[in-house]
Amino acid sequence: MIRVGLALAALAVCAAPALAQPAPRVVTDVALPVAEGYTFDPIPSPGRLAVGRDGGFYVLLHMFKRVADAADSAREEQVDLLAVAPAGTVTRRRTLPVQEVVGSSRFDLNALGVVAARSGDLAVFMSTTDPAGRSSARLLRLDSDFNVKKAAPVGPPTRHDDPGSFYVVETYLPTPDNAVLLAGGWGLGPVAWWMGKLSLDGVRLWQAGPGVGFPERVAAIAPRPDGTWLSVAVEMHGVGRGTGWYIRRHATDGRPLARLALVQPDDAVVAVLREGCMLIINANPDSRRKAEMVLVDDRGRVARRMPWPYPRTSSMIANGAGIAAVVADSDATDAPTWLVRADAKGTIVWRQGPVSVDEMTSLPDGRIAALAHPGQADAPPHLVVYADP
């Protein structure tokens, strides 16, 4: 959408963002096949979609079914890994050797994600909690044919944690040296912020955190051209003092280099762009605050503020110099959602929907791949690739 100026006409355009937005080109749209007799787990979580160096896709499908002649709550669970060619053909599929079948109704999967490493191998990380409240985490290393090369346990980040603490991962990234970077949180739920770099064999190479308060999280992280890592973490100020947003910078080996306070948004999403960190602060009808975009440079200074035409944004990723976001025209929790692509000044390039999006990622050529549900959110997802009109 265009930036709001002083003219009333521009204000009118921003008040009705759906009127003049072009739709993207749909390059690929393939329904992901759920195993016979199973139901797709409708609870979305990050990490289920990865992109290989050859442009192919890797998708994790978490499914369950009721067990015959058992209690109503009893389920049988399964996690399948799929390889999808750029054109949309499913080329490989394997049921992963997941043994963490816990809980009476479903996997208690606190984290499940796949990373396509630079070598062509794949890493699948999972964190679970059993019915007795004990947590465990594992990293599976698979080759390009989905053969398991190693299954390594991943221990807690400190030696003095409650045995029920678990990992919650929001970001799964490959590193230039063929390792995996995970970022999110650790704790009993809510969690303290945490990030860590693991080798594909599960060796902890470095970590930062966990934090000292609850609830905390690493909301976004991305590499910088100099090899450092820039992240945005939500951290507690102290007991009874609320949370704050901080930009953290870590060296290639994990050494902390900087920690800078951000503006204090009480309802926002964030992505790390080339120019800095982009925040979209949602509208607040109680205070009559309008939604806006705020670009903050790597030193924590506000570079520019721009109106944002959607009152509610639920998720956002970096897309080249701009962003892709899941938005709604209303702040109602049940309002239909749309997928939009915008530049770094808030101009909407295209809008698609209504559609329910579980996860999205940017491709090197600027296209956007998403796990999306064209109909009901509990229907099996489609892998969809969108390009500019």
Side-chain angles (χ1 to χ4, degrees):
M1 181 51 90
I2 57 175
R3 286 180 291 172
V4 176
L6 297 178
L8 292 177
L11 291 172
V13 170
C14 281
L19 295 179
Q21 305 306 330
R25 288 188 298 115
V26 177
V27 178
T28 301
D29 185 351
V30 56
L32 298 174
V34 174
E36 184 176 357
Y38 282 80
T39 299
F40 173 72
D41 185 352
I43 300 177
S45 63
R48 309 295 172 94
L49 173 63
V51 182
R53 298 185 70 184
D54 62 353
F57 304 97
Y58 300 97
V59 181
L60 288 173
L61 287 183
H62 178 209
M63 302 159 289
F64 63 88
K65 68 178 179 180
R66 295 191 182 280
V67 179
D69 301 323
D72 289 342
S73 60
R75 306 282 179 117
E76 188 175 294
E77 294 87 8
Q78 182 171 311
V79 175
D80 284 6
L81 177 62
L82 281 65
V84 183
T89 304
V90 177
T91 58
R92 291 186 301 286
R93 180 176 192 138
R94 170 165 184 180
T95 298
L96 296 182
V98 176
Q99 300 170 354
E100 292 82 355
V101 179
V102 298
S104 59
S105 61
R106 64 172 71 248
F107 277 116
D108 190 359
L109 285 173
N110 308 116
L112 174 66
V114 59
V115 176
R118 292 182 63 87
S119 64
D121 282 356
L122 302 170
V124 175
F125 177 80
M126 64 190 71
S127 174
T128 66
T129 307
D130 68 19
R134 297 181 298 267
S135 70
S136 62
R138 281 198 304 159
L139 187 75
L140 301 179
R141 181 175 185 174
L142 303 97
D143 63 21
S144 58
D145 292 322
F146 294 178
N147 299 306
V148 177
K149 299 173 72 172
K150 187 166 186 178
V154 179
T158 68
R159 296 181 179 180
H160 305 290
D161 272 305
D162 187 291
S165 294
F166 50 82
Y167 292 98
V168 175
V169 181
E170 297 191 38
T171 302
Y172 302 77
L173 290 175
T175 66
D177 55 352
N178 204 43
V180 175
L181 189 74
L182 309 176
W186 164 266
L188 288 169
V191 299
W193 73 269
W194 174 87
M195 67 183 80
K197 180 180 177 182
L198 305 176
S199 74
L200 296 186
D201 292 326
V203 177
R204 194 184 308 266
L205 303 176
W206 64 261
Q207 69 174 13
V212 297
F214 306 91
E216 297 180 329
R217 53 191 277 260
V218 177
I221 188 168
R224 282 302 188 231
D226 62 0
T228 61
W229 292 91
L230 191 76
S231 63
V232 179
V234 179
E235 304 178 34
M236 289 290 293
H237 292 308
V239 178
R241 296 173 55 196
T243 58
W245 291 54
Y246 293 88
I247 296 176
R248 285 182 168 271
R249 195 160 194 149
H250 289 83
T252 304
D253 60 5
R255 287 178 294 111
L257 300 176
R259 178 178 180 268
L260 305 166
L262 270 175
V263 292
Q264 175 64 36
D266 57 358
D267 183 10
V269 294
V270 63
V272 180
L273 275 60
R274 297 170 184 169
E275 296 181 84
C277 298
M278 181 66 79
L279 295 160
I280 292 183
I281 302 175
N282 286 323
N284 186 334
D286 295 334
S287 65
R288 298 185 179 180
R289 182 187 69 201
K290 302 294 185 182
E292 66 173 342
M293 299 178 76
V294 180
L295 180 66
V296 181
D297 67 22
D298 288 0
R299 297 183 180 182
R301 300 173 301 193
V302 174
R304 61 177 177 266
R305 310 180 82 102
M306 300 140 288
W308 179 245
Y310 298 98
R312 183 167 63 88
T313 302
S314 56
S315 62
M316 173 173 57
I317 62 170
N319 178 245
I323 63 158
V326 178
V327 302
D329 293 327
S330 165
D331 55 14
T333 56
D334 59 349
T337 56
W338 303 74
L339 178 61
V340 300
R341 189 173 94 77
D343 65 20
K345 295 183 178 180
T347 302
I348 305 298
V349 178
W350 54 254
R351 160 175 161 140
Q352 176 73 12
V355 62
S356 175
V357 176
D358 286 354
E359 186 170 0
M360 52 188 170
T361 188
S362 293
L363 305 183
D365 60 4
R367 296 178 300 163
I368 295 168
L371 296 181
H373 305 268
Q376 298 295 324
D378 59 351
H382 286 221
L383 173 62
V384 189
V385 179
Y386 301 102
D388 287 350

